[in-house]
């Protein structure tokens, strides 16, 4: 807030970004470079990641229409996968000004929104890991392949 002379009334630090979404996603719409060699061009930036956050919020509200905007945001923040701030030494836990509370985790957020624990499994190669309501994956794929999220139940 500012006074009539343009001076800041009080300093306000906003904890932004709140969360980060997937970036570099495949698209058939834009004809850019195919950086991941999947046969589809990749789409980068806020315009690529913001629809993931909006879509997740819509799915959360479909599961639980009584969620308030503040509750929806809190769930997204609480279930986000903590990421490191590359501008700092070592790994910092919690919020940072580069990745917010972390990378959106749809399975964890949907679990929390619905009140259902462990809605999904992640599989890659011969490895399958259970994803809990916290949005954290237990274990890693041994073959280094991509993880595929399969939602097994979203009923409330």
């Amino acid at each position: 807030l500012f006074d009539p002379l343009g001076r800041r009334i009080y300093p306000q630090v906003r904890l932004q970004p709140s969360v980060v979404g997937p970036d570099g996603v495949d698209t058939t719409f834009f004809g850019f470079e195919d950086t991941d060699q999947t046969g589809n061009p990749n789409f980068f930036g806020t315009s690529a990641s913001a629809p993931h956050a909006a879509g997740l919020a819509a799915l959360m509200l479909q599961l639980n229409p009584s969620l308030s905007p503040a509750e929806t945001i809190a769930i997204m923040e609480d279930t986000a996968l903590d990421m490191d701030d590359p501008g700092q030494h070592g790994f910092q836990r919690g919020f940072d000004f580069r990745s917010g509370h972390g990378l959106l985790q749809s399975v964890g957020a949907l679990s929390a929104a619905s009140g259902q624990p462990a809605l999904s499994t992640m599989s890659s190669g011969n490895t399958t890991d259970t994803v809990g309501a916290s949005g954290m994956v237990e274990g890693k794929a041994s073959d280094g392949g991509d993880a595929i999220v399969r939602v097994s139940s979203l009923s409330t």
Side-chain angles (χ1 to χ4, degrees):
L1 296 173
F2 297 91
D3 69 15
L5 297 175
R7 294 179 298 223
R8 188 174 291 226
I9 293 174
Y10 60 90
Q12 182 178 16
V13 177
R14 295 178 187 231
L15 299 180
Q16 296 295 326
S18 178
V19 291
V20 294
D23 190 18
V25 296
D26 285 343
T27 181
T28 58
F29 183 73
F30 297 107
F32 298 127
E33 186 177 348
D34 180 14
T35 59
D36 59 1
Q37 307 298 310
T38 60
N40 291 312
N42 300 108
F43 181 37
F44 292 91
T46 303
S47 296
S49 63
H52 289 88
L56 177 56
L59 289 171
M60 291 168 62
L61 290 169
Q62 184 178 16
L63 284 172
N64 186 350
S66 68
L67 287 175
S68 70
E71 290 170 324
T72 303
I73 292 168
I75 289 171
M76 292 170 112
E77 291 174 349
D78 292 345
T79 60
L81 180 63
D82 197 13
M83 298 176 69
D84 188 34
D85 180 347
Q88 302 291 322
H89 295 293
F91 188 89
Q92 297 74 43
R93 299 213 176 268
F95 178 86
D96 65 69
F97 287 101
R98 293 187 189 223
S99 64
H101 294 276
L103 180 65
L104 287 173
Q105 299 295 298
S106 59
V107 172
L110 294 172
S111 293
S114 70
Q116 302 268 333
L119 293 176
S120 179
T121 59
M122 295 184 79
S123 63
S124 177
N126 297 329
T127 303
T128 300
D129 301 315
T130 300
V131 180
S134 68
M136 300 297 287
V137 177
E138 297 174 7
K140 294 185 179 181
S142 59
D143 65 355
D146 294 330
I148 299 171
V149 175
R150 292 190 179 93
V151 178
S152 58
S153 171
L154 288 179
S155 59
T156 56

